[in-house]
Amino acid sequence: MVANVCVSLTNPSQLSAIDPRCEFIEFRADLFCEGRTPGSWKQELASATHQLANHACANSQKTILTIRTTAEGGKFPDDLKRVELFKSLAPRFDFVDVEYSSKHRAALLANFAKEKKEVILSAHLTEPTIQPVRSPGFRNPKGLGSGVQSPVLQDSRPKTQNPKSEAILKAMHKAAPSAIKKIVFTATKQSDNNVPSKLLALAKKQNIRVICFCMGGKGIASRILAPIDGSYLTFGALDAKSATAPGQLVHSDLLDFYSELDFAAINPNTKFILVIGNPVYHSLSPKMQNFALRKMKLNIQYLKLRADHTQLGDILGMLRGGRFAGANVTVPYKEAVIPSLDSVDPEAKNIGAVNTIVNRKGKLMGYNTDGAIVPILGKTVKLKRARCILLGAGGASRAIVYGLKKAGADVTIINRTLDRAEALARAFGCKSAPLSLESMSRLAAATLFVNTTTIGMHGSPSGSDIPYLPRKFPKGLLVFDVVYTPIDTPLISKAVRECNCITGERMLIAQGVKALELFIGKKVPDEVAVGMHDVLLNYIQ
Ligand code: ATR
């Protein structure tokens, strides 16, 4: 089973930006025509359609033609002219999107039925009027399924008179039994996201193909969960700038999200944990966490989601919903998420960053587990009063400095930019020094040396050699490098002859195990943690 993602285009010039994993391409011809004079658009549109069809055919992608009128929130001025345009362009497309509220719906449906064209019958509701399913059977409200413009759509009647979702579905099914029904509405609160799930479950039972999700920032959960709940597809934007509807995520981000999904194991009780960052596609957390979740037979799946900063608030709002157990947060949002949380653990507050958010009955609790490596270091050397030298004063060093200080270590922060080292040292009561031959010579009398910079990382512009390293490392020094691509960094390779070394992936595991324990509320068995390590090593090497 795959999650179908459809990307909406307004212009064939955008074709090259489509992720090849994307199954569907929607062409918003009304947006293409906007501002063009009829004389020019007809020809341009024909050539655009040709280009699009050829591209989709070569890449085995399905195409959808959509032309929305201004009355439907689109840009095409006239419903009757739309009928003509539809008829002329439709032969090049796999699907046509017919608006349920169109005056000419019956004529269009009859025409496409004759031509055996697949139809998506779309209803865009103006508000979340859909009520939870209470009794079996349908109520068919007056005006629905009659072939005339439905009063339910774009209407201003009081909420109480609006029909239930299943009534809308039934009316649409009556109007076009073989069409895929698309029912969308704007979410005004998180709980609105439950409505599409219920409707999709109902449609599944009745073997009706349905696309259903909520629009708007508060509807992000339903857009993501739609294919998981059985929606025929979900829509994604080409990129962050060209979203055609509020709350739309970028299609490649949706595809990355679904790439980790184990569809066969999903049921209505499955919960999700995310890792949120930007970028996040390289994150190995889903691999190791899904291994652990499967091993512990937990009905939870761990997925990655790139978050654009403009959508971070809505994504955090989504985490309050019952389908999400929480999220890990990575660069660059570890500080930015804090104001949106309901409470922050004192340790995370002191560090000034959150990397784990737990959803406790709709309340978001923030934690920081990045310091979980410190007790592991403490198993090799006694940290109390130990002289520790930390290279680097960026985000990666904060939680380690905090943990070392808490363990009673004597910490010196060395950094290329002295100001940053001084600021960090002030915050946690440490010493600081600029990166120099003199400061690095202090390694001779140290117990622990930690590299928290990106020096030595594959492809890092920081280079591969830490300056001023001693030619011979002091015996008994413990060296820890946070870099784990490669595992044997230039620092580790040099130090390993004389020193005890701990490699960077241990920090990833340690923070992941501690975060998982917070999500599930129980200890992760040691053998599971060992398995997580093996999984990681498989992907790193
Ligand atoms: P992160 O949040 O992942 O720690 P960061 O905030 O960019 O990343 O910090 C990277 C750290 O690596 C910084 O301490 C940086 O030193 P500056 O504060 O002087 O920028 C350090 N760093 C990066 N490249 C370096 C290099 N070539 N030589 C020395 N230090 C370097």
Side-chain angles (χ1 to χ4, degrees), residues 82-138:
R82 169 171 66 180
V83 175
E84 287 166 34
L85 192 59
F86 247 141
K87 287 183 179 171
S88 70
L89 296 179
R92 300 304 309 262
F93 289 84
D94 298 299
F95 295 81
V96 285
D97 183 304
V98 174
E99 183 69 31
Y100 184 60
S101 64
S102 165
K103 275 187 290 208
H104 305 284
R105 183 184 79 209
L108 281 169
L109 289 176
N111 175 68
F112 292 134
K114 204 170 72 205
E115 295 187 0
K116 297 194 170 40
K117 180 69 57 191
E118 280 261 55
V119 171
I120 299 173
L121 187 60
S122 287
H124 295 80
L125 309 185
T126 50
E127 50 179 317
T129 56
I130 300 170
Q131 303 297 314
V133 179
R134 252 181 246 116
S135 60
F138 291 117

CSV table of all heavy atoms in Angstrom, one decimal, residues 82-138:
chain,number,residue,atom,x,y,z
A,82,ARG,N,-16.4,27.4,-18.4
A,82,ARG,CA,-15.6,26.3,-17.8
A,82,ARG,C,-16.0,25.0,-18.4
A,82,ARG,O,-15.1,24.1,-18.7
A,82,ARG,CB,-15.8,26.3,-16.3
A,82,ARG,CG,-15.2,25.0,-15.7
A,82,ARG,CD,-15.2,25.0,-14.2
A,82,ARG,NE,-16.5,24.9,-13.6
A,82,ARG,CZ,-16.7,24.9,-12.3
A,82,ARG,NH1,-15.6,24.9,-11.5
A,82,ARG,NH2,-17.9,24.9,-11.8
A,83,VAL,N,-17.3,24.8,-18.7
A,83,VAL,CA,-17.8,23.6,-19.3
A,83,VAL,C,-17.1,23.3,-20.6
A,83,VAL,O,-16.6,22.2,-20.9
A,83,VAL,CB,-19.3,23.6,-19.4
A,83,VAL,CG1,-19.8,22.3,-20.2
A,83,VAL,CG2,-20.0,23.7,-18.1
A,84,GLU,N,-17.0,24.4,-21.4
A,84,GLU,CA,-16.4,24.3,-22.8
A,84,GLU,C,-14.9,23.9,-22.6
A,84,GLU,O,-14.4,23.0,-23.3
A,84,GLU,CB,-16.4,25.6,-23.5
A,84,GLU,CG,-17.7,26.0,-24.0
A,84,GLU,CD,-17.7,27.5,-24.4
A,84,GLU,OE1,-16.6,28.0,-24.9
A,84,GLU,OE2,-18.7,28.2,-24.2
A,85,LEU,N,-14.2,24.6,-21.7
A,85,LEU,CA,-12.8,24.4,-21.5
A,85,LEU,C,-12.5,23.0,-21.0
A,85,LEU,O,-11.6,22.3,-21.5
A,85,LEU,CB,-12.3,25.4,-20.4
A,85,LEU,CG,-10.8,25.5,-20.3
A,85,LEU,CD1,-10.1,25.9,-21.6
A,85,LEU,CD2,-10.4,26.6,-19.2
A,86,PHE,N,-13.4,22.5,-20.1
A,86,PHE,CA,-13.2,21.2,-19.5
A,86,PHE,C,-13.3,20.2,-20.7
A,86,PHE,O,-12.5,19.2,-20.8
A,86,PHE,CB,-14.4,20.9,-18.6
A,86,PHE,CG,-14.0,20.7,-17.2
A,86,PHE,CD1,-14.8,21.2,-16.1
A,86,PHE,CD2,-12.9,20.0,-16.8
A,86,PHE,CE1,-14.4,21.1,-14.8
A,86,PHE,CE2,-12.5,19.8,-15.5
A,86,PHE,CZ,-13.3,20.4,-14.5
A,87,LYS,N,-14.3,20.3,-21.5
A,87,LYS,CA,-14.5,19.4,-22.6
A,87,LYS,C,-13.3,19.3,-23.6
A,87,LYS,O,-12.9,18.3,-24.1
A,87,LYS,CB,-15.8,19.7,-23.4
A,87,LYS,CG,-17.0,19.3,-22.5
A,87,LYS,CD,-18.3,19.6,-23.3
A,87,LYS,CE,-19.5,19.2,-22.5
A,87,LYS,NZ,-20.8,19.6,-23.2
A,88,SER,N,-12.7,20.5,-23.8
A,88,SER,CA,-11.6,20.5,-24.7
A,88,SER,C,-10.3,20.0,-24.1
A,88,SER,O,-9.5,19.3,-24.8
A,88,SER,CB,-11.4,21.9,-25.3
A,88,SER,OG,-10.9,22.8,-24.3
A,89,LEU,N,-10.1,20.2,-22.8
A,89,LEU,CA,-8.8,19.8,-22.2
A,89,LEU,C,-8.8,18.4,-21.6
A,89,LEU,O,-7.8,17.7,-21.6
A,89,LEU,CB,-8.4,20.7,-21.1
A,89,LEU,CG,-8.1,22.2,-21.5
A,89,LEU,CD1,-7.7,23.0,-20.3
A,89,LEU,CD2,-6.9,22.3,-22.5
A,90,ALA,N,-10.0,17.9,-21.2
A,90,ALA,CA,-10.1,16.7,-20.4
A,90,ALA,C,-9.5,15.5,-21.1
A,90,ALA,O,-8.9,14.6,-20.4
A,90,ALA,CB,-11.6,16.4,-20.1
A,91,PRO,N,-9.6,15.3,-22.4
A,91,PRO,CA,-9.0,14.1,-23.0
A,91,PRO,C,-7.5,13.8,-22.7
A,91,PRO,O,-7.1,12.7,-22.7
A,91,PRO,CB,-9.2,14.3,-24.5
A,91,PRO,CG,-10.4,15.2,-24.6
A,91,PRO,CD,-10.3,16.1,-23.4
A,92,ARG,N,-6.8,14.9,-22.4
A,92,ARG,CA,-5.3,14.7,-22.1
A,92,ARG,C,-5.1,14.3,-20.6
A,92,ARG,O,-3.9,14.1,-20.2
A,92,ARG,CB,-4.5,16.0,-22.4
A,92,ARG,CG,-4.6,16.4,-23.8
A,92,ARG,CD,-4.1,15.4,-24.8
A,92,ARG,NE,-2.9,14.8,-24.6
A,92,ARG,CZ,-1.7,15.1,-25.1
A,92,ARG,NH1,-1.7,16.1,-26.0
A,92,ARG,NH2,-0.6,14.5,-24.8
A,93,PHE,N,-6.1,14.3,-19.8
A,93,PHE,CA,-6.0,14.0,-18.3
A,93,PHE,C,-6.6,12.7,-17.9
A,93,PHE,O,-7.5,12.2,-18.5
A,93,PHE,CB,-6.6,15.2,-17.5
A,93,PHE,CG,-5.9,16.5,-17.6
A,93,PHE,CD1,-6.1,17.3,-18.7
A,93,PHE,CD2,-4.9,16.8,-16.7
A,93,PHE,CE1,-5.4,18.5,-18.8
A,93,PHE,CE2,-4.2,18.0,-16.8
A,93,PHE,CZ,-4.4,18.9,-17.8
A,94,ASP,N,-6.0,12.2,-16.8
A,94,ASP,CA,-6.6,10.9,-16.3
A,94,ASP,C,-7.8,11.1,-15.5
A,94,ASP,O,-8.7,10.3,-15.5
A,94,ASP,CB,-5.5,10.2,-15.4
A,94,ASP,CG,-4.3,9.9,-16.1
A,94,ASP,OD1,-4.4,9.1,-17.1
A,94,ASP,OD2,-3.2,10.4,-15.8
A,95,PHE,N,-7.9,12.3,-14.8
A,95,PHE,CA,-9.0,12.6,-13.9
A,95,PHE,C,-9.5,14.0,-14.2
A,95,PHE,O,-8.6,14.9,-14.5
A,95,PHE,CB,-8.6,12.5,-12.4
A,95,PHE,CG,-8.3,11.2,-11.9
A,95,PHE,CD1,-7.0,10.7,-12.1
A,95,PHE,CD2,-9.2,10.4,-11.2
A,95,PHE,CE1,-6.6,9.4,-11.7
A,95,PHE,CE2,-8.8,9.2,-10.7
A,95,PHE,CZ,-7.5,8.7,-11.0
A,96,VAL,N,-10.7,14.3,-14.0
A,96,VAL,CA,-11.2,15.7,-14.0
A,96,VAL,C,-11.9,15.9,-12.6
A,96,VAL,O,-12.5,15.1,-12.1
A,96,VAL,CB,-12.2,16.0,-15.1
A,96,VAL,CG1,-11.6,16.0,-16.5
A,96,VAL,CG2,-13.3,14.9,-15.1
A,97,ASP,N,-11.7,17.2,-12.2
A,97,ASP,CA,-12.3,17.5,-10.9
A,97,ASP,C,-13.5,18.4,-11.1
A,97,ASP,O,-13.5,19.5,-11.7
A,97,ASP,CB,-11.2,18.3,-10.1
A,97,ASP,CG,-11.7,18.7,-8.7
A,97,ASP,OD1,-12.8,19.3,-8.6
A,97,ASP,OD2,-11.1,18.3,-7.7
A,98,VAL,N,-14.7,17.8,-10.8
A,98,VAL,CA,-15.9,18.5,-11.0
A,98,VAL,C,-16.5,19.0,-9.7
A,98,VAL,O,-16.6,18.2,-8.7
A,98,VAL,CB,-17.0,17.6,-11.7
A,98,VAL,CG1,-18.4,18.3,-11.8
A,98,VAL,CG2,-16.5,17.1,-13.0
A,99,GLU,N,-16.7,20.3,-9.6
A,99,GLU,CA,-17.2,20.9,-8.4
A,99,GLU,C,-18.7,20.5,-8.1
A,99,GLU,O,-19.5,20.7,-9.0
A,99,GLU,CB,-17.0,22.4,-8.5
A,99,GLU,CG,-17.4,23.2,-7.2
A,99,GLU,CD,-16.4,22.9,-6.0
A,99,GLU,OE1,-15.2,22.7,-6.3
A,99,GLU,OE2,-16.9,23.0,-4.9
A,100,TYR,N,-18.9,20.0,-7.0
A,100,TYR,CA,-20.3,19.5,-6.6
A,100,TYR,C,-21.3,20.7,-6.7
A,100,TYR,O,-22.5,20.5,-7.1
A,100,TYR,CB,-20.3,18.9,-5.2
A,100,TYR,CG,-21.6,18.3,-4.8
A,100,TYR,CD1,-22.2,17.3,-5.5
A,100,TYR,CD2,-22.3,18.8,-3.7
A,100,TYR,CE1,-23.4,16.7,-5.2
A,100,TYR,CE2,-23.5,18.3,-3.3
A,100,TYR,CZ,-24.0,17.2,-4.0
A,100,TYR,OH,-25.2,16.7,-3.6
A,101,SER,N,-20.9,21.9,-6.4
A,101,SER,CA,-21.8,23.0,-6.4
A,101,SER,C,-22.0,23.7,-7.8
A,101,SER,O,-22.8,24.6,-7.9
A,101,SER,CB,-21.3,24.1,-5.4
A,101,SER,OG,-20.1,24.6,-5.9
A,102,SER,N,-21.3,23.2,-8.8
A,102,SER,CA,-21.5,23.8,-10.1
A,102,SER,C,-22.9,23.6,-10.7
A,102,SER,O,-23.5,22.5,-10.6
A,102,SER,CB,-20.5,23.1,-11.1
A,102,SER,OG,-20.8,23.4,-12.4
A,103,LYS,N,-23.4,24.7,-11.3
A,103,LYS,CA,-24.7,24.6,-11.9
A,103,LYS,C,-24.8,23.6,-13.0
A,103,LYS,O,-25.8,23.0,-13.3
A,103,LYS,CB,-25.1,26.0,-12.5
A,103,LYS,CG,-25.6,27.0,-11.5
A,103,LYS,CD,-26.1,28.2,-12.3
A,103,LYS,CE,-24.9,29.0,-12.7
A,103,LYS,NZ,-24.9,30.4,-12.9
A,104,HIS,N,-23.6,23.4,-13.6
A,104,HIS,CA,-23.5,22.5,-14.8
A,104,HIS,C,-23.0,21.1,-14.4
A,104,HIS,O,-22.5,20.4,-15.3
A,104,HIS,CB,-22.6,23.2,-15.8
A,104,HIS,CG,-23.1,24.5,-16.2
A,104,HIS,ND1,-24.2,24.7,-17.0
A,104,HIS,CD2,-22.7,25.7,-15.8
A,104,HIS,CE1,-24.4,26.0,-17.1
A,104,HIS,NE2,-23.5,26.7,-16.4
A,105,ARG,N,-23.1,20.8,-13.1
A,105,ARG,CA,-22.6,19.5,-12.7
A,105,ARG,C,-23.1,18.3,-13.5
A,105,ARG,O,-22.4,17.5,-14.0
A,105,ARG,CB,-22.8,19.4,-11.2
A,105,ARG,CG,-22.3,18.1,-10.6
A,105,ARG,CD,-22.7,18.0,-9.2
A,105,ARG,NE,-24.0,17.5,-9.0
A,105,ARG,CZ,-24.8,17.8,-8.0
A,105,ARG,NH1,-24.4,18.6,-7.0
A,105,ARG,NH2,-26.0,17.3,-7.9
A,106,ALA,N,-24.5,18.3,-13.6
A,106,ALA,CA,-25.1,17.1,-14.2
A,106,ALA,C,-24.7,17.0,-15.6
A,106,ALA,O,-24.4,15.8,-16.1
A,106,ALA,CB,-26.7,17.3,-14.1
A,107,ALA,N,-24.5,18.1,-16.4
A,107,ALA,CA,-24.1,18.0,-17.8
A,107,ALA,C,-22.7,17.5,-17.8
A,107,ALA,O,-22.3,16.7,-18.7
A,107,ALA,CB,-24.2,19.4,-18.4
A,108,LEU,N,-21.8,18.0,-17.0
A,108,LEU,CA,-20.4,17.6,-17.0
A,108,LEU,C,-20.3,16.1,-16.6
A,108,LEU,O,-19.6,15.4,-17.3
A,108,LEU,CB,-19.6,18.4,-16.0
A,108,LEU,CG,-19.2,19.8,-16.4
A,108,LEU,CD1,-18.7,20.6,-15.2
A,108,LEU,CD2,-18.2,19.8,-17.5
A,109,LEU,N,-21.0,15.7,-15.6
A,109,LEU,CA,-21.0,14.3,-15.2
A,109,LEU,C,-21.4,13.4,-16.4
A,109,LEU,O,-20.8,12.4,-16.6
A,109,LEU,CB,-21.8,14.1,-14.0
A,109,LEU,CG,-21.2,14.7,-12.7
A,109,LEU,CD1,-22.2,14.4,-11.5
A,109,LEU,CD2,-19.9,14.1,-12.3
A,110,ALA,N,-22.5,13.8,-17.0
A,110,ALA,CA,-23.0,13.0,-18.1
A,110,ALA,C,-22.0,12.9,-19.2
A,110,ALA,O,-21.7,11.8,-19.8
A,110,ALA,CB,-24.3,13.6,-18.7
A,111,ASN,N,-21.4,14.0,-19.5
A,111,ASN,CA,-20.4,14.1,-20.6
A,111,ASN,C,-19.2,13.2,-20.3
A,111,ASN,O,-18.7,12.4,-21.1
A,111,ASN,CB,-19.9,15.5,-20.8
A,111,ASN,CG,-18.7,15.6,-21.8
A,111,ASN,OD1,-19.0,15.4,-23.0
A,111,ASN,ND2,-17.6,15.9,-21.3
A,112,PHE,N,-18.7,13.3,-19.0
A,112,PHE,CA,-17.5,12.5,-18.6
A,112,PHE,C,-17.8,11.0,-18.5
A,112,PHE,O,-17.0,10.1,-18.7
A,112,PHE,CB,-16.9,13.0,-17.3
A,112,PHE,CG,-16.2,14.4,-17.6
A,112,PHE,CD1,-16.5,15.4,-16.6
A,112,PHE,CD2,-15.5,14.7,-18.7
A,112,PHE,CE1,-15.9,16.7,-16.9
A,112,PHE,CE2,-14.9,15.9,-18.9
A,112,PHE,CZ,-15.1,16.9,-18.0
A,113,ALA,N,-19.1,10.7,-18.1
A,113,ALA,CA,-19.5,9.3,-18.0
A,113,ALA,C,-19.5,8.7,-19.5
A,113,ALA,O,-19.0,7.6,-19.6
A,113,ALA,CB,-20.9,9.2,-17.5
A,114,LYS,N,-19.9,9.5,-20.4
A,114,LYS,CA,-19.9,9.0,-21.8
A,114,LYS,C,-18.5,8.7,-22.3
A,114,LYS,O,-18.2,7.8,-23.0
A,114,LYS,CB,-20.6,10.1,-22.7
A,114,LYS,CG,-21.2,9.5,-24.0
A,114,LYS,CD,-22.0,10.6,-24.7
A,114,LYS,CE,-21.1,11.6,-25.3
A,114,LYS,NZ,-21.8,12.9,-25.5
A,115,GLU,N,-17.6,9.6,-21.9
A,115,GLU,CA,-16.2,9.5,-22.3
A,115,GLU,C,-15.4,8.6,-21.4
A,115,GLU,O,-14.1,8.5,-21.6
A,115,GLU,CB,-15.5,10.9,-22.4
A,115,GLU,CG,-16.2,11.7,-23.5
A,115,GLU,CD,-15.5,13.0,-23.7
A,115,GLU,OE1,-14.5,13.3,-23.0
A,115,GLU,OE2,-16.0,13.7,-24.6
A,116,LYS,N,-16.0,8.0,-20.4
A,116,LYS,CA,-15.4,7.1,-19.5
A,116,LYS,C,-14.2,7.7,-18.8
A,116,LYS,O,-13.1,7.1,-18.6
A,116,LYS,CB,-15.0,5.8,-20.2
A,116,LYS,CG,-16.1,5.0,-20.7
A,116,LYS,CD,-15.7,3.6,-21.1
A,116,LYS,CE,-16.8,2.6,-21.4
A,116,LYS,NZ,-17.9,3.1,-22.2
A,117,LYS,N,-14.4,8.9,-18.4
A,117,LYS,CA,-13.3,9.7,-17.8
A,117,LYS,C,-13.5,9.6,-16.2
A,117,LYS,O,-14.6,9.7,-15.8
A,117,LYS,CB,-13.4,11.2,-18.2
A,117,LYS,CG,-12.4,12.1,-17.6
A,117,LYS,CD,-11.0,11.9,-18.1
A,117,LYS,CE,-10.7,12.0,-19.6
A,117,LYS,NZ,-9.4,11.6,-19.9
A,118,GLU,N,-12.4,9.3,-15.5
A,118,GLU,CA,-12.5,9.3,-14.1
A,118,GLU,C,-12.8,10.7,-13.5
A,118,GLU,O,-12.1,11.6,-13.9
A,118,GLU,CB,-11.2,8.8,-13.5
A,118,GLU,CG,-11.0,7.3,-13.6
A,118,GLU,CD,-11.4,6.6,-12.2
A,118,GLU,OE1,-12.5,6.8,-11.7
A,118,GLU,OE2,-10.5,5.9,-11.7
A,119,VAL,N,-13.8,10.8,-12.6
A,119,VAL,CA,-14.2,12.1,-12.1
A,119,VAL,C,-13.9,12.1,-10.6
A,119,VAL,O,-14.1,11.1,-9.9
A,119,VAL,CB,-15.7,12.3,-12.3
A,119,VAL,CG1,-16.2,13.5,-11.6
A,119,VAL,CG2,-16.0,12.5,-13.8
A,120,ILE,N,-13.4,13.3,-10.1
A,120,ILE,CA,-13.3,13.6,-8.7
A,120,ILE,C,-14.4,14.6,-8.5
A,120,ILE,O,-14.3,15.7,-9.0
A,120,ILE,CB,-11.9,14.1,-8.3
A,120,ILE,CG1,-10.9,13.0,-8.6
A,120,ILE,CG2,-11.9,14.5,-6.8
A,120,ILE,CD1,-9.4,13.5,-8.4
A,121,LEU,N,-15.4,14.2,-7.7
A,121,LEU,CA,-16.5,15.2,-7.4
A,121,LEU,C,-16.2,15.9,-6.1
A,121,LEU,O,-16.1,15.2,-5.0
A,121,LEU,CB,-17.8,14.4,-7.3
A,121,LEU,CG,-19.1,15.2,-7.1
A,121,LEU,CD1,-19.3,16.1,-8.4
A,121,LEU,CD2,-20.3,14.3,-7.0
A,122,SER,N,-16.0,17.2,-6.2
A,122,SER,CA,-15.4,17.9,-5.0
A,122,SER,C,-16.4,18.8,-4.3
A,122,SER,O,-17.1,19.6,-5.0
A,122,SER,CB,-14.3,18.8,-5.5
A,122,SER,OG,-13.2,18.1,-5.8
A,123,ALA,N,-16.5,18.7,-3.0
A,123,ALA,CA,-17.3,19.6,-2.2
A,123,ALA,C,-16.4,20.3,-1.2
A,123,ALA,O,-15.8,19.7,-0.4
A,123,ALA,CB,-18.4,18.8,-1.5
A,124,HIS,N,-16.4,21.7,-1.3
A,124,HIS,CA,-15.6,22.5,-0.4
A,124,HIS,C,-16.6,23.1,0.6
A,124,HIS,O,-17.3,24.0,0.2
A,124,HIS,CB,-14.8,23.5,-1.1
A,124,HIS,CG,-13.8,22.9,-2.0
A,124,HIS,ND1,-14.1,22.4,-3.2
A,124,HIS,CD2,-12.5,22.7,-1.8
A,124,HIS,CE1,-13.0,21.9,-3.8
A,124,HIS,NE2,-12.0,22.0,-2.9
A,125,LEU,N,-16.6,22.7,1.8
A,125,LEU,CA,-17.6,23.3,2.8
A,125,LEU,C,-17.0,24.5,3.4
A,125,LEU,O,-15.7,24.5,3.6
A,125,LEU,CB,-17.9,22.2,3.8
A,125,LEU,CG,-18.4,20.9,3.3
A,125,LEU,CD1,-18.8,20.0,4.4
A,125,LEU,CD2,-19.5,21.0,2.3
A,126,THR,N,-17.8,25.4,3.7
A,126,THR,CA,-17.3,26.7,4.2
A,126,THR,C,-16.9,26.7,5.7
A,126,THR,O,-16.2,27.5,6.2
A,126,THR,CB,-18.3,27.8,4.0
A,126,THR,OG1,-19.5,27.4,4.5
A,126,THR,CG2,-18.4,28.2,2.6
A,127,GLU,N,-17.5,25.7,6.4
A,127,GLU,CA,-17.1,25.6,7.9
A,127,GLU,C,-17.2,24.2,8.3
A,127,GLU,O,-17.8,23.4,7.7
A,127,GLU,CB,-18.1,26.6,8.7
A,127,GLU,CG,-19.5,26.4,8.3
A,127,GLU,CD,-20.4,27.3,9.2
A,127,GLU,OE1,-20.1,27.4,10.4
A,127,GLU,OE2,-21.4,27.8,8.6
A,128,PRO,N,-16.7,23.9,9.5
A,128,PRO,CA,-16.7,22.5,10.0
A,128,PRO,C,-18.1,22.2,10.5
A,128,PRO,O,-18.3,22.0,11.7
A,128,PRO,CB,-15.7,22.5,11.1
A,128,PRO,CG,-15.7,23.9,11.6
A,128,PRO,CD,-16.0,24.8,10.4
A,129,THR,N,-19.0,22.0,9.7
A,129,THR,CA,-20.4,21.8,10.1
A,129,THR,C,-20.7,20.3,10.3
A,129,THR,O,-21.7,19.9,10.8
A,129,THR,CB,-21.4,22.2,9.0
A,129,THR,OG1,-21.0,21.5,7.8
A,129,THR,CG2,-21.3,23.7,8.8
A,130,ILE,N,-19.7,19.5,10.0
A,130,ILE,CA,-19.9,18.1,10.0
A,130,ILE,C,-20.0,17.6,11.5
A,130,ILE,O,-19.1,17.9,12.3
A,130,ILE,CB,-18.8,17.3,9.2
A,130,ILE,CG1,-18.9,17.9,7.8
A,130,ILE,CG2,-19.0,15.9,9.3
A,130,ILE,CD1,-17.7,17.4,7.0
A,131,GLN,N,-21.0,16.9,11.8
A,131,GLN,CA,-21.2,16.4,13.2
A,131,GLN,C,-20.7,14.9,13.3
A,131,GLN,O,-20.7,14.2,12.3
A,131,GLN,CB,-22.7,16.4,13.5
A,131,GLN,CG,-23.3,17.8,13.4
A,131,GLN,CD,-22.7,18.8,14.4
A,131,GLN,OE1,-22.5,18.5,15.5
A,131,GLN,NE2,-22.3,19.9,13.9
A,132,PRO,N,-20.3,14.5,14.5
A,132,PRO,CA,-20.0,13.0,14.6
A,132,PRO,C,-21.1,12.1,14.2
A,132,PRO,O,-22.3,12.5,14.4
A,132,PRO,CB,-19.6,12.9,16.1
A,132,PRO,CG,-19.5,14.3,16.6
A,132,PRO,CD,-20.3,15.2,15.7
A,133,VAL,N,-20.8,11.0,13.7
A,133,VAL,CA,-21.8,10.0,13.3
A,133,VAL,C,-22.5,9.5,14.6
A,133,VAL,O,-21.9,9.0,15.5
A,133,VAL,CB,-21.2,8.8,12.6
A,133,VAL,CG1,-22.2,7.8,12.2
A,133,VAL,CG2,-20.4,9.3,11.4
A,134,ARG,N,-23.8,9.6,14.7
A,134,ARG,CA,-24.5,9.1,15.9
A,134,ARG,C,-25.4,7.9,15.5
A,134,ARG,O,-25.5,7.0,16.3
A,134,ARG,CB,-25.4,10.2,16.4
A,134,ARG,CG,-24.8,10.7,17.8
A,134,ARG,CD,-25.6,11.8,18.4
A,134,ARG,NE,-24.8,13.1,18.4
A,134,ARG,CZ,-25.2,14.2,17.7
A,134,ARG,NH1,-26.3,14.2,17.0
A,134,ARG,NH2,-24.4,15.2,17.8
A,135,SER,N,-26.1,8.0,14.4
A,135,SER,CA,-27.0,6.8,14.1
A,135,SER,C,-26.7,6.3,12.7
A,135,SER,O,-26.3,7.1,11.8
A,135,SER,CB,-28.4,7.3,14.2
A,135,SER,OG,-28.6,8.3,13.3
A,136,PRO,N,-27.0,5.0,12.5
A,136,PRO,CA,-26.7,4.5,11.1
A,136,PRO,C,-27.8,5.1,10.2
A,136,PRO,O,-28.8,5.6,10.6
A,136,PRO,CB,-26.9,3.0,11.3
A,136,PRO,CG,-27.7,2.8,12.6
A,136,PRO,CD,-27.5,4.0,13.4
A,137,GLY,N,-27.5,5.0,8.9
A,137,GLY,CA,-28.5,5.4,7.9
A,137,GLY,C,-28.2,6.9,7.5
A,137,GLY,O,-27.6,7.6,8.3
A,138,PHE,N,-28.7,7.3,6.4
A,138,PHE,CA,-28.4,8.6,5.9
A,138,PHE,C,-29.7,9.5,6.0
A,138,PHE,O,-30.8,9.0,5.9
A,138,PHE,CB,-28.0,8.5,4.4
A,138,PHE,CG,-26.7,7.9,4.3
A,138,PHE,CD1,-26.5,6.7,3.6
A,138,PHE,CD2,-25.5,8.5,4.8
A,138,PHE,CE1,-25.3,6.2,3.4
A,138,PHE,CE2,-24.3,8.0,4.6
A,138,PHE,CZ,-24.2,6.8,3.9
